Amino acid sequence: MTRYIFITGGVVSSLGKGLASAALGALLQARGYSVRLRKLDPYLNVDPGTMNPFEHGEVYVTDDGAETDLDLGHYERFTGVAARQSDNVTSGGIYQAIISRERRGDYLGGTVQVIPHVTNAIKDFILADAEEQEFVLCEIGGTVGDIEGLPFFEAIRQLGNELERDQAVFVHLTLIPFIGSAGELKTKPTQHSVKELRSIGIQPDVLLCRCDRPFPDKERRKIALYCNVREEAVIPALDVASIYEVPLRYHEQGMDEQVLRCFGIKDPPAPDLSTWQDIQPRIETPEGEVKIAVVGKYTGLKDAYKSLDEALGHGGIANNVRVGVEWIESETFEQEGTLHHLEGVNGILVPGGFGERGAEGKISAVRLARERRIPYFGICFGMQMAVIEAARNMAGIKGANSTEFGPCDEPVVGLMTEWEHEGWIERRDEGGDMGGTMRLGAYDCLVNPGSGVHQIYGSDKISERHRHRYEVNFRYENKLAEAGLVFSGRSPDGLLPEILEIPDHPWFFGVQFHPELKSKPFDPHPLFASFIKAAVDQSRLV
Ligand code: GLN
């Protein structure tokens, strides 16, 4: 029997529901249960793929090519379970499916309504493709009381009734604020949030209470009494220094035990938390520190580079160092005399990106990294910028540029009009739709034996996740190779360059894919581990 845990949020957003869900998933897994995590987002975009990163944060890409919410990245990093297309849905996606059915005539004769059509579609999504799991955790985006969230709350309310009594548990995440002027913790917002939830027919079983300080038993009793929740099921969720501490702290507070109790599981297998315990000293007391500059366009919002930030940290865990990241807006480097900002860093990374703004600043940062022999890591757009830089300054192709920014004389990066996907040829042209049409998801890549990247991966064939519309133009391969830039990985049909490196440089790699999406704290991605190692070596030189 698959059991369902519904995670909702109250009081304010940004309390870390995604992390809470991921950590609970990890704790159940530590007890030997199989888990799947899902996110239901009430907004009307069909998926976050077309949203500005400032609006929504990072778009997390799955192996099967879905553009999803960044919480799926947390789920995957905490549980190691690869997220799938069927793990994230939005109101937009639900409505799109219902409206196209309506147009086809599937409901002919009937009125199409939020209840039951929308709520049924939400329930189908929750229940689909879950038979093999012992636990499915479903996080509802937004906070209780949001108008657009109502159909989702209604759907999980119905499921609470339709599933067996011990098959669904409701966890509600709230905030217990400390009011400085009164010197007191306040439980009222939590009481109101639970009241709101109960008014739509959902009684939470477990309350997870975010608080910036330990709260006394008196408050715990009060919350339990007013919210109609058992006292032991009021779990304090205190602020922690590292997100990877969260599973351990939740466990100490009895979170997993309480959830299992609500399912009537009184004697569960003991948890093995060693993976989480083992990485703690490396996070808390690392032996050194390196400084990495990330030169990007959305640096004002860290969520825009969530997986990247985490993967750099994992590289630190692999090398037992703390990674200090300097987020630098690339447009800065478009003014004279600004590059000295980069002089003290031990590594430079240009991440994925879109559009012309700040591109020349990124190219200048690549040039500095190459000429000053500072470790350089170019991811997707960062690889494309490295090719433009190499073409202009190593191979003397002065007009080198990307057609992403408009027509140019030397298109070293151009629109990808066709590529192979699982035996099919995918085709695109200039005027096509923007949503869901990039080269998305996992593709194999063949790695040149003897190359630097071969050493890093220790393998001839790798699989990584992609999200791009442009590609490096192989017609320039020979000229670039003569200048010292080598393409050391390509698609299996040999047509798409996937990896470049400069052998005569301490560490200079560009990859067309997004390795940050697959890195885990307990299994750091080899490219990030190697990049941070190179940064450590570089820091010893200065
Ligand atoms: N804008 C570039 C492209 O579409 C790079 C995309 C990215 O960095 N993810 O090819």
Side-chain angles (χ1 to χ4, degrees), residues 351-355 379-382 384 404 438 467-471 512 514:
F354 293 84
I379 294 182
C380 204
F381 199 69
Q384 297 173 357
E404 183 171 353
M438 281 188 257
R467 182 172 187 249
H468 62 127
R469 211 181 290 286
Y470 293 83
E471 63 175 321
Q512 189 56 78
H514 290 272

Side-chain angles (χ1 to χ4, degrees), residues 306-320:
K306 191 75 219 159
S307 296
L308 180 69
D309 193 19
E310 295 304 325
L312 284 167
H314 305 161
I317 294 176
N319 290 283
N320 207 7

